[in-house]
Every structure is written in structure tokens, then in C-alpha cells.
Amino acid sequence: MADKLIIFDTTLRDGEQSPGASMTRDEKVRIARQLERLKVDVIEAGFAAASPGDFESIKAIAAAVREPIICSLSRANDRDISRAAEALEKAQRKRIHTFIATSPLHMEMKLRMSPDQVLEQAIQAVRFARQFTDDVEFSPEDASRSDFDFLCRVIEAVIKEGATTINFADTVGYGVPELYGNTLKRLRETIPNSDKAIWSVHCHNDLGMAVANSLAGVMIGGARQVECTINGLGERAGNTALEEVVMAVRTRKDHFNLDVGIDTTQIVATSKMVSQITGFAVQPNKAIVGANAFAHASGIHQDGILKARNTYEIMRAEDVGWSANKIVLGKLSGRNAFKQRLQELGIALESETEVNAAFARFKDLADKKAEIFDEDIMAVVAEEEHSHDADHYRLVSISQHSETGERSSAVVVMTIGDREKSCIAQGNGAVDAIVNAIESEVKSEAELLLFSINAITAGTQSQGEVTIRLSKAGRIVNGVGADPDIVVASAKAYISALNKLHSKVEKLNPQI
């Protein structure tokens, strides 16, 4: 019998720590529902003590999602753990995930604590968490750079206190596959009560080895839980990519001999949803979910594929959900057909008012392009959810002129608070003119870090999806806008980013 490999998704917690990837409560619930359709085993819904917004998001996910275990991260103190327990109160199955740094560098420079103090705090944290749930996970932060003997002392003690999962965290991506796997194996062989807990791996991609380290931890070290994110999203270079681990284990079952409960046909849909909501585009050559992942440009490869698919394809595109991308609706489609397609895509809008508003946007788009794809519908809903009556900045209209050899000009009409303003400016191209016009009134003093355009679907009628990343006073936000006119999409994205800067949401971002 093959063992079960537990898939622990932390897109909503660790993934959200990518600069600019913050999500609203409703967006997190949408992703959590899609993760449930994907059949992940555990959803780390956030860090309850980070902010009131994180707390409310975890609370909403705990109420909305029934099948996976819902987890909240907490530092090793009573306040964080109590907050996590309160947020998880309505979860059908719940887990508290607590952590403390164990490497000499972190203990001395960050915590200012002695090893004995860290050991005692870890014990007290697990003991306190057990008052709220029998499912407690413990992570020694920066475990891959920790002293082996001290790590053994801490892990043995927390298992004795009732920790049911031990997560061997490669917090800074320092691990190398063989060394990482053998260290985990040695821990399990050395710690006398190691068999009383499930062992987990959590790897960062700073050296490009997160997936390799995770799989080494599974095969060499005996871990049976992998912590990962959709598209490998995460701070710095990201985390272990869920889709890569799952398809590696599934495709090479001859080697891994492990079962995963994931519905792989939902992988592409989940990837696209996370990309659209966070504004982090998936690179075309990204394994499994990139646009070129199953494309064959070489003539020799094309010939082989036509004769026998397995000559150059080790997986079928349909197995990860690529075949699901069909034309679904058009300008004559009615409200019920639209609502049905939302359900099929795993999109649940909370009220009829929201459905009506999204349908109105859909009909407006259908008048501009003949064929509406699943990705278009997801973009329409995302745009509707990004648009709030309470937004400080709202786009009313745009007029723009460009001519070869001349500076572009733009007139942007927008509301700022309760006042309507008309802004006029020139620039080096259409987008620069639009941004200059907006800034002539807003005066945000934000630095533009990223401007990216992607076609949502194929063809010249495709909507352009623009991502704009702004930075101000150390805070980074992403704004996303979609429209068949990429100039309009750019204006929407810039205003979306300005609204996020204006919201001034503050939160803590722990590293595991």
C-alpha cells in the first residue's frame, strides 16, 4: 500500500507575503473554496494575530470551507494562540500552527533569548495550543541552520507535549536536497518519540531548490506532509510549488510510491485564479501551469507528438486542467447561464446584487468581444470585487491621443473622495500620459516598481490584464485592471494600486 502524502497549502498565509500580493477577505474565501475543489488536505488560512483583516479572513474561511483542515499560524505565545483559536472556532476541522526560531543566529539576533528560554517557550506554546485542539503543528524556524542536538531537544519536548505535526522549516532556502533529506532522516532516527508525529517539510526557493528539497525530505527523510503554495508564490524567491510536487509524485509514482488526494484537473484553474487575484503573472515556461508547459515548437517534437503523445509528453495537458478552457458564453447568453458558469468555476458571490453587477460587466464585455472564455469571466468577477463604492479613487472616463513623433496626451476623469476631477497631462506614450494625468491630482509620491501586460486569452480581441506595483514608505501593493483596451486597463490597475496604498492596512509578516 502506498502512503498518503498530505498537501498543506499556505498560499493564503506564506504566499500572501510576496510584496504586493495582499488579498481581501472575499478574495481569500474565493481562493479557499477553489483549494477545497482542488482537494488540498490543509489550508493555512492566515496568521490571525497579524491584523484584524487576517483574523476576519480566517474566520470567514473557517465558516465557508468544510472538507480541508483549516489552520492558523501563531507565534509561540498565548496571545497569538488564543487569537488563532478564536478565528478557527467555526472550522469543522482545525489546526493551530505555532513556531519559534531555533537557529543560533535567530535566537541571538532576533529573539534575544537563550536556548533554554526558547525550549521552554516552545513547550508552553504547544501545551497552551492543546487546550483548543488536538491538532497542533510545531515549526522550528530556520531549522536547516539550527544546531542538531538542540533541535532534537526541542522537537522531542514538543512531541511529548502533544504536537502532532513537526515541520522542518528551511526558512531561508539554505538547504541542499541530499543534506536536507538526510538531516530530516537523522532527526527521525535520533528523537525517541519521533514516530508519535507526522513530519512535514517547508522549503523556500532562494537557491531554486524548494521542490527538490521538499521531495528529498519526503524520499530520504520520511516526511509525509509538504507545505507549498500555488504557483510557488511567496516572499523573496517563493515557496515550494504545489503543482510541481503533486505532478512529480503522481507522474513518477514508480519512484515515490505515494498517493495524493489532489484533483489535478483543478490545478490550472486554481493557478489562474491566484494569478489574477494577486497580480503575479505566471511565467510562460513555468512547469505544469505555464502557457508553454505543453507547447511543442520543435518540428521533431511535433512529429513525435503526432505519432505517439508519450514520446515527448510525460503528462497529459487535460490531467492538470488545460482542456477545460473552452468558449462558454457570448453576448446572447442570459443571466442564468452566466450564474451557472460562475458555479462551475467555483465562484460564489455573496448576494444577488453582486451577481447582477458582475453580469452587467459581463454583458458590457460581450458587446466588445464575440467570444467569452473562462478567464474572461474570472477577470470580470475579480474586477467587480476590486471595485467598491467606498474606494477613495474611482475611474469615470478616459480620453487619450497618440501620434507618431508627438507626445501623447490624456484626459482622465475620476472621483477623489466625493469630488469629481478632470486631470490632463502629456507623457512618453499613452500609459505614461494616463499616469501623469492621475498623479497631477493625486500626488501620491509612490514609486512604480512594475508595469506588466498579459493577454487574458488568445486573439486580438483578448482583454489585456495589467499589473502595476507601487511602493511608498516601505509598503508595496499590486493593482490589477482588465479591459479590451490596454490603456483603460492600465488606468484601472493604477487606480486599484492607489486605493490599496490609501487603505493603510498594517499587518505582521512572520517567516517560517
PDB file of all heavy atoms in Angstrom, residues 24-31 33 56-57 59-61 63-65 335 339 342-343 346-358 381 384-385 388:
ATOM      1  N   THR A  24      -7.958  40.623  -0.261  1.00  0.00           N
ATOM      2  CA  THR A  24      -9.077  40.972   0.601  1.00  0.00           C
ATOM      3  C   THR A  24      -9.678  39.704   1.197  1.00  0.00           C
ATOM      4  O   THR A  24      -9.390  38.590   0.753  1.00  0.00           O
ATOM      5  CB  THR A  24     -10.167  41.716  -0.186  1.00  0.00           C
ATOM      6  OG1 THR A  24     -10.739  40.809  -1.152  1.00  0.00           O
ATOM      7  CG2 THR A  24      -9.599  42.938  -0.902  1.00  0.00           C
ATOM      8  N   ARG A  25     -10.555  39.896   2.167  1.00  0.00           N
ATOM      9  CA  ARG A  25     -11.221  38.741   2.771  1.00  0.00           C
ATOM     10  C   ARG A  25     -11.997  37.956   1.723  1.00  0.00           C
ATOM     11  O   ARG A  25     -11.911  36.710   1.664  1.00  0.00           O
ATOM     12  CB  ARG A  25     -12.185  39.212   3.873  1.00  0.00           C
ATOM     13  CG  ARG A  25     -12.819  38.066   4.653  1.00  0.00           C
ATOM     14  CD  ARG A  25     -14.032  38.509   5.423  1.00  0.00           C
ATOM     15  NE  ARG A  25     -15.117  38.865   4.516  1.00  0.00           N
ATOM     16  CZ  ARG A  25     -16.360  39.130   4.903  1.00  0.00           C
ATOM     17  NH1 ARG A  25     -16.675  39.114   6.179  1.00  0.00           N
ATOM     18  NH2 ARG A  25     -17.287  39.442   4.020  1.00  0.00           N
ATOM     19  N   ASP A  26     -12.767  38.633   0.881  1.00  0.00           N
ATOM     20  CA  ASP A  26     -13.572  37.932  -0.125  1.00  0.00           C
ATOM     21  C   ASP A  26     -12.695  37.185  -1.112  1.00  0.00           C
ATOM     22  O   ASP A  26     -13.043  36.079  -1.554  1.00  0.00           O
ATOM     23  CB  ASP A  26     -14.474  38.926  -0.864  1.00  0.00           C
ATOM     24  CG  ASP A  26     -15.574  39.487   0.026  1.00  0.00           C
ATOM     25  OD1 ASP A  26     -15.825  38.884   1.094  1.00  0.00           O
ATOM     26  OD2 ASP A  26     -16.167  40.518  -0.328  1.00  0.00           O
ATOM     27  N   GLU A  27     -11.566  37.774  -1.489  1.00  0.00           N
ATOM     28  CA  GLU A  27     -10.647  37.097  -2.414  1.00  0.00           C
ATOM     29  C   GLU A  27     -10.060  35.848  -1.767  1.00  0.00           C
ATOM     30  O   GLU A  27      -9.918  34.799  -2.417  1.00  0.00           O
ATOM     31  CB  GLU A  27      -9.540  38.062  -2.834  1.00  0.00           C
ATOM     32  CG  GLU A  27     -10.022  39.148  -3.781  1.00  0.00           C
ATOM     33  CD  GLU A  27      -9.025  40.279  -3.967  1.00  0.00           C
ATOM     34  OE1 GLU A  27      -8.075  40.395  -3.151  1.00  0.00           O
ATOM     35  OE2 GLU A  27      -9.187  41.060  -4.918  1.00  0.00           O
ATOM     36  N   LYS A  28      -9.737  35.944  -0.480  1.00  0.00           N
ATOM     37  CA  LYS A  28      -9.200  34.771   0.214  1.00  0.00           C
ATOM     38  C   LYS A  28     -10.238  33.651   0.301  1.00  0.00           C
ATOM     39  O   LYS A  28      -9.890  32.469   0.156  1.00  0.00           O
ATOM     40  CB  LYS A  28      -8.731  35.157   1.619  1.00  0.00           C
ATOM     41  CG  LYS A  28      -7.433  35.950   1.627  1.00  0.00           C
ATOM     42  CD  LYS A  28      -6.934  36.134   3.055  1.00  0.00           C
ATOM     43  CE  LYS A  28      -5.576  36.817   3.063  1.00  0.00           C
ATOM     44  NZ  LYS A  28      -5.016  36.929   4.423  1.00  0.00           N
ATOM     45  N   VAL A  29     -11.479  34.009   0.544  1.00  0.00           N
ATOM     46  CA  VAL A  29     -12.538  32.997   0.605  1.00  0.00           C
ATOM     47  C   VAL A  29     -12.710  32.326  -0.758  1.00  0.00           C
ATOM     48  O   VAL A  29     -12.877  31.104  -0.853  1.00  0.00           O
ATOM     49  CB  VAL A  29     -13.864  33.609   1.091  1.00  0.00           C
ATOM     50  CG1 VAL A  29     -15.012  32.618   0.942  1.00  0.00           C
ATOM     51  CG2 VAL A  29     -13.737  34.049   2.554  1.00  0.00           C
ATOM     52  N   ARG A  30     -12.652  33.112  -1.842  1.00  0.00           N
ATOM     53  CA  ARG A  30     -12.743  32.546  -3.187  1.00  0.00           C
ATOM     54  C   ARG A  30     -11.634  31.541  -3.430  1.00  0.00           C
ATOM     55  O   ARG A  30     -11.866  30.443  -3.947  1.00  0.00           O
ATOM     56  CB  ARG A  30     -12.649  33.657  -4.238  1.00  0.00           C
ATOM     57  CG  ARG A  30     -13.956  34.339  -4.586  1.00  0.00           C
ATOM     58  CD  ARG A  30     -13.753  35.326  -5.712  1.00  0.00           C
ATOM     59  NE  ARG A  30     -13.300  34.678  -6.921  1.00  0.00           N
ATOM     60  CZ  ARG A  30     -12.594  35.269  -7.882  1.00  0.00           C
ATOM     61  NH1 ARG A  30     -12.240  36.532  -7.771  1.00  0.00           N
ATOM     62  NH2 ARG A  30     -12.230  34.605  -8.951  1.00  0.00           N
ATOM     63  N   ILE A  31     -10.399  31.912  -3.067  1.00  0.00           N
ATOM     64  CA  ILE A  31      -9.273  31.000  -3.267  1.00  0.00           C
ATOM     65  C   ILE A  31      -9.419  29.765  -2.380  1.00  0.00           C
ATOM     66  O   ILE A  31      -9.151  28.635  -2.818  1.00  0.00           O
ATOM     67  CB  ILE A  31      -7.941  31.718  -3.005  1.00  0.00           C
ATOM     68  CG1 ILE A  31      -7.677  32.748  -4.117  1.00  0.00           C
ATOM     69  CG2 ILE A  31      -6.779  30.728  -2.927  1.00  0.00           C
ATOM     70  CD1 ILE A  31      -6.448  33.608  -3.898  1.00  0.00           C
ATOM     71  N   ARG A  33     -12.151  28.354  -1.335  1.00  0.00           N
ATOM     72  CA  ARG A  33     -13.163  27.462  -1.933  1.00  0.00           C
ATOM     73  C   ARG A  33     -12.576  26.694  -3.120  1.00  0.00           C
ATOM     74  O   ARG A  33     -12.889  25.520  -3.342  1.00  0.00           O
ATOM     75  CB  ARG A  33     -14.382  28.272  -2.362  1.00  0.00           C
ATOM     76  CG  ARG A  33     -15.274  28.712  -1.195  1.00  0.00           C
ATOM     77  CD  ARG A  33     -16.560  29.327  -1.701  1.00  0.00           C
ATOM     78  NE  ARG A  33     -17.513  29.535  -0.614  1.00  0.00           N
ATOM     79  CZ  ARG A  33     -18.092  30.697  -0.342  1.00  0.00           C
ATOM     80  NH1 ARG A  33     -17.805  31.771  -1.073  1.00  0.00           N
ATOM     81  NH2 ARG A  33     -18.958  30.794   0.642  1.00  0.00           N
ATOM     82  N   GLU A  56     -10.334  38.231  10.455  1.00  0.00           N
ATOM     83  CA  GLU A  56     -11.655  38.103   9.842  1.00  0.00           C
ATOM     84  C   GLU A  56     -11.623  37.167   8.629  1.00  0.00           C
ATOM     85  O   GLU A  56     -12.587  36.443   8.372  1.00  0.00           O
ATOM     86  CB  GLU A  56     -12.186  39.479   9.431  1.00  0.00           C
ATOM     87  CG  GLU A  56     -12.533  40.388  10.601  1.00  0.00           C
ATOM     88  CD  GLU A  56     -13.617  39.816  11.508  1.00  0.00           C
ATOM     89  OE1 GLU A  56     -14.488  39.060  11.009  1.00  0.00           O
ATOM     90  OE2 GLU A  56     -13.584  40.103  12.725  1.00  0.00           O
ATOM     91  N   SER A  57     -10.523  37.173   7.891  1.00  0.00           N
ATOM     92  CA  SER A  57     -10.394  36.281   6.733  1.00  0.00           C
ATOM     93  C   SER A  57     -10.378  34.824   7.169  1.00  0.00           C
ATOM     94  O   SER A  57     -11.054  33.976   6.579  1.00  0.00           O
ATOM     95  CB  SER A  57      -9.118  36.605   5.951  1.00  0.00           C
ATOM     96  OG  SER A  57      -9.188  37.884   5.384  1.00  0.00           O
ATOM     97  N   LYS A  59     -11.569  33.620   9.930  1.00  0.00           N
ATOM     98  CA  LYS A  59     -12.906  33.342  10.473  1.00  0.00           C
ATOM     99  C   LYS A  59     -13.897  33.032   9.351  1.00  0.00           C
ATOM    100  O   LYS A  59     -14.692  32.079   9.438  1.00  0.00           O
ATOM    101  CB  LYS A  59     -13.371  34.567  11.276  1.00  0.00           C
ATOM    102  CG  LYS A  59     -14.572  34.326  12.170  1.00  0.00           C
ATOM    103  CD  LYS A  59     -14.827  35.563  13.027  1.00  0.00           C
ATOM    104  CE  LYS A  59     -16.054  35.374  13.892  1.00  0.00           C
ATOM    105  NZ  LYS A  59     -16.318  36.579  14.719  1.00  0.00           N
ATOM    106  N   ALA A  60     -13.841  33.818   8.263  1.00  0.00           N
ATOM    107  CA  ALA A  60     -14.741  33.612   7.129  1.00  0.00           C
ATOM    108  C   ALA A  60     -14.440  32.298   6.419  1.00  0.00           C
ATOM    109  O   ALA A  60     -15.364  31.564   6.016  1.00  0.00           O
ATOM    110  CB  ALA A  60     -14.620  34.779   6.150  1.00  0.00           C
ATOM    111  N   ILE A  61     -13.163  31.963   6.255  1.00  0.00           N
ATOM    112  CA  ILE A  61     -12.789  30.703   5.598  1.00  0.00           C
ATOM    113  C   ILE A  61     -13.203  29.518   6.456  1.00  0.00           C
ATOM    114  O   ILE A  61     -13.714  28.514   5.943  1.00  0.00           O
ATOM    115  CB  ILE A  61     -11.272  30.683   5.321  1.00  0.00           C
ATOM    116  CG1 ILE A  61     -10.927  31.704   4.231  1.00  0.00           C
ATOM    117  CG2 ILE A  61     -10.805  29.292   4.917  1.00  0.00           C
ATOM    118  CD1 ILE A  61      -9.447  31.992   4.098  1.00  0.00           C
ATOM    119  N   ALA A  63     -15.707  29.283   8.321  1.00  0.00           N
ATOM    120  CA  ALA A  63     -17.159  29.102   8.200  1.00  0.00           C
ATOM    121  C   ALA A  63     -17.564  28.614   6.813  1.00  0.00           C
ATOM    122  O   ALA A  63     -18.575  27.913   6.663  1.00  0.00           O
ATOM    123  CB  ALA A  63     -17.866  30.424   8.512  1.00  0.00           C
ATOM    124  N   ALA A  64     -16.779  28.968   5.790  1.00  0.00           N
ATOM    125  CA  ALA A  64     -17.189  28.682   4.405  1.00  0.00           C
ATOM    126  C   ALA A  64     -16.682  27.360   3.863  1.00  0.00           C
ATOM    127  O   ALA A  64     -17.307  26.778   2.970  1.00  0.00           O
ATOM    128  CB  ALA A  64     -16.693  29.817   3.496  1.00  0.00           C
ATOM    129  N   VAL A  65     -15.573  26.868   4.374  1.00  0.00           N
ATOM    130  CA  VAL A  65     -14.921  25.677   3.798  1.00  0.00           C
ATOM    131  C   VAL A  65     -15.037  24.521   4.791  1.00  0.00           C
ATOM    132  O   VAL A  65     -14.695  24.666   5.964  1.00  0.00           O
ATOM    133  CB  VAL A  65     -13.439  25.993   3.480  1.00  0.00           C
ATOM    134  CG1 VAL A  65     -12.735  24.752   2.991  1.00  0.00           C
ATOM    135  CG2 VAL A  65     -13.347  27.107   2.449  1.00  0.00           C
ATOM    136  N   ARG A 335     -28.690  35.554 -17.955  1.00  0.00           N
ATOM    137  CA  ARG A 335     -28.202  35.662 -16.585  1.00  0.00           C
ATOM    138  C   ARG A 335     -28.045  34.285 -15.939  1.00  0.00           C
ATOM    139  O   ARG A 335     -27.079  34.042 -15.213  1.00  0.00           O
ATOM    140  CB  ARG A 335     -29.181  36.523 -15.784  1.00  0.00           C
ATOM    141  CG  ARG A 335     -28.750  36.826 -14.359  1.00  0.00           C
ATOM    142  CD  ARG A 335     -29.778  37.732 -13.698  1.00  0.00           C
ATOM    143  NE  ARG A 335     -29.429  37.988 -12.312  1.00  0.00           N
ATOM    144  CZ  ARG A 335     -29.629  37.132 -11.322  1.00  0.00           C
ATOM    145  NH1 ARG A 335     -30.188  35.963 -11.577  1.00  0.00           N
ATOM    146  NH2 ARG A 335     -29.290  37.443 -10.088  1.00  0.00           N
ATOM    147  N   LYS A 339     -24.726  32.695 -14.341  1.00  0.00           N
ATOM    148  CA  LYS A 339     -24.694  32.274 -12.941  1.00  0.00           C
ATOM    149  C   LYS A 339     -24.247  30.807 -12.819  1.00  0.00           C
ATOM    150  O   LYS A 339     -23.454  30.455 -11.929  1.00  0.00           O
ATOM    151  CB  LYS A 339     -26.086  32.456 -12.324  1.00  0.00           C
ATOM    152  CG  LYS A 339     -26.109  32.428 -10.808  1.00  0.00           C
ATOM    153  CD  LYS A 339     -27.494  32.821 -10.306  1.00  0.00           C
ATOM    154  CE  LYS A 339     -27.525  32.781  -8.780  1.00  0.00           C
ATOM    155  NZ  LYS A 339     -28.852  33.154  -8.254  1.00  0.00           N
ATOM    156  N   LEU A 342     -20.521  30.609 -13.265  1.00  0.00           N
ATOM    157  CA  LEU A 342     -19.835  31.035 -12.044  1.00  0.00           C
ATOM    158  C   LEU A 342     -19.718  29.855 -11.073  1.00  0.00           C
ATOM    159  O   LEU A 342     -18.657  29.627 -10.478  1.00  0.00           O
ATOM    160  CB  LEU A 342     -20.588  32.186 -11.365  1.00  0.00           C
ATOM    161  CG  LEU A 342     -20.582  33.557 -12.037  1.00  0.00           C
ATOM    162  CD1 LEU A 342     -21.368  34.548 -11.191  1.00  0.00           C
ATOM    163  CD2 LEU A 342     -19.166  34.071 -12.259  1.00  0.00           C
ATOM    164  N   GLN A 343     -20.793  29.106 -10.923  1.00  0.00           N
ATOM    165  CA  GLN A 343     -20.795  27.953 -10.017  1.00  0.00           C
ATOM    166  C   GLN A 343     -19.795  26.898 -10.478  1.00  0.00           C
ATOM    167  O   GLN A 343     -19.060  26.317  -9.669  1.00  0.00           O
ATOM    168  CB  GLN A 343     -22.198  27.360  -9.917  1.00  0.00           C
ATOM    169  CG  GLN A 343     -23.204  28.265  -9.224  1.00  0.00           C
ATOM    170  CD  GLN A 343     -24.617  27.701  -9.230  1.00  0.00           C
ATOM    171  OE1 GLN A 343     -24.882  26.683  -9.884  1.00  0.00           O
ATOM    172  NE2 GLN A 343     -25.524  28.349  -8.525  1.00  0.00           N
ATOM    173  N   GLY A 346     -16.364  27.647  -9.539  1.00  0.00           N
ATOM    174  CA  GLY A 346     -16.115  27.731  -8.105  1.00  0.00           C
ATOM    175  C   GLY A 346     -16.198  29.127  -7.550  1.00  0.00           C
ATOM    176  O   GLY A 346     -15.647  29.428  -6.492  1.00  0.00           O
ATOM    177  N   ILE A 347     -16.906  30.027  -8.268  1.00  0.00           N
ATOM    178  CA  ILE A 347     -17.034  31.415  -7.827  1.00  0.00           C
ATOM    179  C   ILE A 347     -18.399  31.596  -7.176  1.00  0.00           C
ATOM    180  O   ILE A 347     -19.434  31.410  -7.826  1.00  0.00           O
ATOM    181  CB  ILE A 347     -16.890  32.387  -9.013  1.00  0.00           C
ATOM    182  CG1 ILE A 347     -15.502  32.251  -9.638  1.00  0.00           C
ATOM    183  CG2 ILE A 347     -17.138  33.826  -8.569  1.00  0.00           C
ATOM    184  CD1 ILE A 347     -15.339  32.990 -10.936  1.00  0.00           C
ATOM    185  N   ALA A 348     -18.410  31.915  -5.907  1.00  0.00           N
ATOM    186  CA  ALA A 348     -19.661  32.101  -5.178  1.00  0.00           C
ATOM    187  C   ALA A 348     -19.755  33.555  -4.721  1.00  0.00           C
ATOM    188  O   ALA A 348     -19.058  33.971  -3.804  1.00  0.00           O
ATOM    189  CB  ALA A 348     -19.728  31.154  -3.983  1.00  0.00           C
ATOM    190  N   LEU A 349     -20.618  34.324  -5.384  1.00  0.00           N
ATOM    191  CA  LEU A 349     -20.840  35.705  -4.971  1.00  0.00           C
ATOM    192  C   LEU A 349     -21.878  35.717  -3.858  1.00  0.00           C
ATOM    193  O   LEU A 349     -22.829  34.931  -3.865  1.00  0.00           O
ATOM    194  CB  LEU A 349     -21.296  36.546  -6.168  1.00  0.00           C
ATOM    195  CG  LEU A 349     -20.273  36.629  -7.309  1.00  0.00           C
ATOM    196  CD1 LEU A 349     -20.817  37.436  -8.480  1.00  0.00           C
ATOM    197  CD2 LEU A 349     -18.964  37.240  -6.822  1.00  0.00           C
ATOM    198  N   GLU A 350     -21.707  36.619  -2.914  1.00  0.00           N
ATOM    199  CA  GLU A 350     -22.480  36.549  -1.675  1.00  0.00           C
ATOM    200  C   GLU A 350     -23.926  37.001  -1.822  1.00  0.00           C
ATOM    201  O   GLU A 350     -24.781  36.607  -1.055  1.00  0.00           O
ATOM    202  CB  GLU A 350     -21.792  37.371  -0.577  1.00  0.00           C
ATOM    203  CG  GLU A 350     -20.484  36.746  -0.095  1.00  0.00           C
ATOM    204  CD  GLU A 350     -19.915  37.456   1.115  1.00  0.00           C
ATOM    205  OE1 GLU A 350     -20.505  38.460   1.541  1.00  0.00           O
ATOM    206  OE2 GLU A 350     -18.876  36.998   1.633  1.00  0.00           O
ATOM    207  N   SER A 351     -24.225  37.852  -2.795  1.00  0.00           N
ATOM    208  CA  SER A 351     -25.582  38.390  -2.900  1.00  0.00           C
ATOM    209  C   SER A 351     -26.002  38.504  -4.359  1.00  0.00           C
ATOM    210  O   SER A 351     -25.174  38.504  -5.271  1.00  0.00           O
ATOM    211  CB  SER A 351     -25.654  39.772  -2.238  1.00  0.00           C
ATOM    212  OG  SER A 351     -24.881  40.708  -2.981  1.00  0.00           O
ATOM    213  N   GLU A 352     -27.315  38.622  -4.572  1.00  0.00           N
ATOM    214  CA  GLU A 352     -27.839  38.812  -5.923  1.00  0.00           C
ATOM    215  C   GLU A 352     -27.377  40.144  -6.497  1.00  0.00           C
ATOM    216  O   GLU A 352     -27.196  40.279  -7.709  1.00  0.00           O
ATOM    217  CB  GLU A 352     -29.380  38.752  -5.898  1.00  0.00           C
ATOM    218  CG  GLU A 352     -29.927  37.349  -5.712  1.00  0.00           C
ATOM    219  CD  GLU A 352     -29.483  36.399  -6.819  1.00  0.00           C
ATOM    220  OE1 GLU A 352     -29.705  36.726  -8.005  1.00  0.00           O
ATOM    221  OE2 GLU A 352     -28.898  35.349  -6.499  1.00  0.00           O
ATOM    222  N   THR A 353     -27.170  41.118  -5.627  1.00  0.00           N
ATOM    223  CA  THR A 353     -26.670  42.415  -6.089  1.00  0.00           C
ATOM    224  C   THR A 353     -25.304  42.265  -6.736  1.00  0.00           C
ATOM    225  O   THR A 353     -25.027  42.852  -7.798  1.00  0.00           O
ATOM    226  CB  THR A 353     -26.582  43.405  -4.900  1.00  0.00           C
ATOM    227  OG1 THR A 353     -27.871  43.529  -4.307  1.00  0.00           O
ATOM    228  CG2 THR A 353     -26.094  44.767  -5.358  1.00  0.00           C
ATOM    229  N   GLU A 354     -24.429  41.462  -6.108  1.00  0.00           N
ATOM    230  CA  GLU A 354     -23.096  41.226  -6.664  1.00  0.00           C
ATOM    231  C   GLU A 354     -23.178  40.450  -7.975  1.00  0.00           C
ATOM    232  O   GLU A 354     -22.429  40.723  -8.912  1.00  0.00           O
ATOM    233  CB  GLU A 354     -22.232  40.480  -5.653  1.00  0.00           C
ATOM    234  CG  GLU A 354     -21.845  41.319  -4.442  1.00  0.00           C
ATOM    235  CD  GLU A 354     -20.955  40.550  -3.484  1.00  0.00           C
ATOM    236  OE1 GLU A 354     -20.881  39.313  -3.608  1.00  0.00           O
ATOM    237  OE2 GLU A 354     -20.337  41.184  -2.620  1.00  0.00           O
ATOM    238  N   VAL A 355     -24.075  39.465  -8.042  1.00  0.00           N
ATOM    239  CA  VAL A 355     -24.265  38.704  -9.283  1.00  0.00           C
ATOM    240  C   VAL A 355     -24.727  39.636 -10.399  1.00  0.00           C
ATOM    241  O   VAL A 355     -24.221  39.585 -11.528  1.00  0.00           O
ATOM    242  CB  VAL A 355     -25.278  37.557  -9.084  1.00  0.00           C
ATOM    243  CG1 VAL A 355     -25.597  36.879 -10.420  1.00  0.00           C
ATOM    244  CG2 VAL A 355     -24.739  36.527  -8.095  1.00  0.00           C
ATOM    245  N   ASN A 356     -25.682  40.488 -10.088  1.00  0.00           N
ATOM    246  CA  ASN A 356     -26.209  41.418 -11.099  1.00  0.00           C
ATOM    247  C   ASN A 356     -25.131  42.376 -11.588  1.00  0.00           C
ATOM    248  O   ASN A 356     -25.050  42.681 -12.789  1.00  0.00           O
ATOM    249  CB  ASN A 356     -27.388  42.212 -10.517  1.00  0.00           C
ATOM    250  CG  ASN A 356     -28.603  41.336 -10.279  1.00  0.00           C
ATOM    251  OD1 ASN A 356     -28.746  40.271 -10.892  1.00  0.00           O
ATOM    252  ND2 ASN A 356     -29.487  41.766  -9.388  1.00  0.00           N
ATOM    253  N   ALA A 357     -24.311  42.873 -10.665  1.00  0.00           N
ATOM    254  CA  ALA A 357     -23.248  43.796 -11.054  1.00  0.00           C
ATOM    255  C   ALA A 357     -22.212  43.103 -11.940  1.00  0.00           C
ATOM    256  O   ALA A 357     -21.758  43.666 -12.949  1.00  0.00           O
ATOM    257  CB  ALA A 357     -22.582  44.374  -9.807  1.00  0.00           C
ATOM    258  N   ALA A 358     -21.847  41.855 -11.577  1.00  0.00           N
ATOM    259  CA  ALA A 358     -20.891  41.099 -12.386  1.00  0.00           C
ATOM    260  C   ALA A 358     -21.489  40.769 -13.750  1.00  0.00           C
ATOM    261  O   ALA A 358     -20.794  40.812 -14.774  1.00  0.00           O
ATOM    262  CB  ALA A 358     -20.485  39.818 -11.656  1.00  0.00           C
ATOM    263  N   VAL A 381     -15.255  39.001 -12.649  1.00  0.00           N
ATOM    264  CA  VAL A 381     -15.600  38.890 -11.227  1.00  0.00           C
ATOM    265  C   VAL A 381     -14.530  39.553 -10.366  1.00  0.00           C
ATOM    266  O   VAL A 381     -14.839  40.265  -9.410  1.00  0.00           O
ATOM    267  CB  VAL A 381     -15.788  37.414 -10.834  1.00  0.00           C
ATOM    268  CG1 VAL A 381     -15.976  37.289  -9.325  1.00  0.00           C
ATOM    269  CG2 VAL A 381     -16.994  36.832 -11.552  1.00  0.00           C
ATOM    270  N   GLU A 384     -15.007  43.223 -10.486  1.00  0.00           N
ATOM    271  CA  GLU A 384     -16.177  43.623  -9.704  1.00  0.00           C
ATOM    272  C   GLU A 384     -15.847  43.636  -8.217  1.00  0.00           C
ATOM    273  O   GLU A 384     -16.251  44.534  -7.480  1.00  0.00           O
ATOM    274  CB  GLU A 384     -17.348  42.666  -9.980  1.00  0.00           C
ATOM    275  CG  GLU A 384     -18.605  42.965  -9.176  1.00  0.00           C
ATOM    276  CD  GLU A 384     -19.119  44.387  -9.380  1.00  0.00           C
ATOM    277  OE1 GLU A 384     -18.981  44.934 -10.499  1.00  0.00           O
ATOM    278  OE2 GLU A 384     -19.643  44.960  -8.411  1.00  0.00           O
ATOM    279  N   GLU A 385     -15.069  42.634  -7.764  1.00  0.00           N
ATOM    280  CA  GLU A 385     -14.720  42.567  -6.351  1.00  0.00           C
ATOM    281  C   GLU A 385     -13.687  43.636  -5.972  1.00  0.00           C
ATOM    282  O   GLU A 385     -13.620  44.062  -4.826  1.00  0.00           O
ATOM    283  CB  GLU A 385     -14.206  41.168  -6.008  1.00  0.00           C
ATOM    284  CG  GLU A 385     -15.311  40.111  -6.096  1.00  0.00           C
ATOM    285  CD  GLU A 385     -14.940  38.809  -5.433  1.00  0.00           C
ATOM    286  OE1 GLU A 385     -13.734  38.528  -5.294  1.00  0.00           O
ATOM    287  OE2 GLU A 385     -15.853  38.068  -5.049  1.00  0.00           O
ATOM    288  N   HIS A 388     -15.201  48.931  -5.281  1.00  0.00           N
ATOM    289  CA  HIS A 388     -16.056  49.148  -4.108  1.00  0.00           C
ATOM    290  C   HIS A 388     -16.511  50.605  -4.065  1.00  0.00           C
ATOM    291  O   HIS A 388     -15.751  51.518  -4.390  1.00  0.00           O
ATOM    292  CB  HIS A 388     -15.298  48.817  -2.818  1.00  0.00           C
ATOM    293  CG  HIS A 388     -14.765  47.423  -2.779  1.00  0.00           C
ATOM    294  ND1 HIS A 388     -15.574  46.312  -2.624  1.00  0.00           N
ATOM    295  CD2 HIS A 388     -13.496  46.957  -2.911  1.00  0.00           C
ATOM    296  CE1 HIS A 388     -14.821  45.225  -2.636  1.00  0.00           C
ATOM    297  NE2 HIS A 388     -13.562  45.590  -2.817  1.00  0.00           N
TER     298      HIS A 388
END
